Amino acid sequence: MAKETEVLSIGDREVTISNPRKVYFPETGHTKIDLVRYYLAVADGALRGAGGRPMALKRFVDGAAGQPFFQKRAPENTPEFVRTATLTFPSGRTADEIVIDDAAGLAWVVNLGCIDLNPHPVRAEDLDHPDELRVDLDPVPGVPWDHIRLVALATREALEAVGLVGWPKTSGSRGIHVYVRIERRWIFDEVRRAALAFAREVERRLPKKVTTAWWKEERGKRVFIDYNQNARDRTIASAYSVRGRPDATVSAPVTWDELPDVETEDFTLASMPERFAKLGDVQAAIDDTVCDLNVLLEWVEREEAAGEGEAPYPPQFPKMPGEPKRVQPSRAKKAVD
């Protein structure tokens, strides 16, 4: 028996959606074709966040209730209108990753089972120089949402103090992301180190609510600012991404004025298209606010002169220059004992 398909005409392209009525979100009843139509409705904003960037494909082939897997290499049947870019990973290996440029590309990746979009912080034409600094506010379980919003507002103040413009969005899960568009002048290690210095500044402002401790056993009940999201080969669900949660929440760009009152559950696959139709992309000006990292890099020099240097990298990285021992503090203590 032939599988059901639906062919969509998107601009001057045709995209075939397989199993369009397959339920992707059992709790809400939304299907694969509902998800495709969602992304077409918010395409302008979704492409501003993910377009022109290589992305890892996070595929939920069994819908949100199933276990996703990451696919870094472009499928063999990638259509001609979808580009690829060759990324080099920390291991030295390479892969041709997908780059989408238009609404047809969005529909095509959703047909592969991608519920959320996970781009790298670089443009396809310059893979070594990020154009985003990403401040990922990742709460430890049990941290109330009010604390996360408070940390986000402190993040804004710290950014503005050094002339940087931050653009907040809900993660669609438990946290908040703040993005800063930056000049493409610095390599990943420099951007990551600048992000670490900035995270430590926010930690100094709110030491009881914020931590930069890489090891979970040291974080307590605080919001972890994950500076390592700025390392090479790290991706974050981009603006307007639907998340693989039962309630189909969305990683929603918001204004700073809105932020004190928003809840993660305010923005869903069902509600976002109406908001987008009314307001458009509330962060449409993000590409007009490109910033430099000079002050943060001065902070890096200041820290290192004071003996506060590097912090651990993610485990898939080789040992990096200046990095402390990559071992949990409790295990290090046992080894000394």
Side-chain angles (χ1 to χ4, degrees), residues 137-210:
L137 307 181
D138 184 12
V140 170
V143 172
W145 180 245
D146 283 348
H147 287 194
I148 305 165
R149 289 185 296 197
L150 178 64
V151 173
L153 294 171
T155 296
R156 181 193 189 187
E157 292 176 359
L159 288 171
E160 290 181 342
V162 293
L164 299 177
V165 181
W167 299 84
K169 66 184 182 70
T170 66
S171 71
S173 183
R174 299 186 303 115
I176 291 174
H177 304 150
V178 182
Y179 283 7
V180 179
R181 287 287 199 268
I182 60 174
E183 297 174 8
R184 285 184 275 181
R185 294 170 48 194
W186 300 279
I187 61 174
F188 276 96
D189 289 348
E190 292 171 318
V191 175
R192 174 195 165 279
R193 187 63 183 83
L196 172 59
F198 176 77
R200 286 171 172 163
E201 171 62 19
V202 181
E203 184 179 28
R204 282 189 285 271
R205 291 175 178 232
L206 289 174
K208 294 184 179 180
K209 290 184 169 60
V210 175

Side-chain angles (χ1 to χ4, degrees), residues 57-70 113 115-116 244:
L57 302 177
K58 185 179 180 183
R59 300 181 64 179
F60 292 79
V61 294
D62 294 318
Q67 185 67 33
F69 66 92
F70 276 97
I115 291 178
D116 52 23

Side-chain angles (χ1 to χ4, degrees), residues 90-112:
S91 65
R93 299 178 66 183
T94 63
D96 292 337
E97 292 199 5
I98 289 296
V99 181
I100 58 172
D101 295 302
D102 55 24
L106 277 172
W108 180 77
V109 296
V110 174
N111 183 58
L112 294 177

Side-chain angles (χ1 to χ4, degrees), residues 52-55 72-74 82-89 94-100 120 122-127:
R53 303 175 182 278
M55 68 167 62
K72 293 185 176 181
R73 287 170 173 77
V82 174
R83 292 188 289 158
T84 62
T86 303
L87 270 72
T88 301
F89 304 125
T94 63
D96 292 337
E97 292 199 5
I98 289 296
V99 181
I100 58 172
H120 295 267
V122 292
R123 303 287 180 172
E125 62 270 21
D126 187 352
L127 300 174

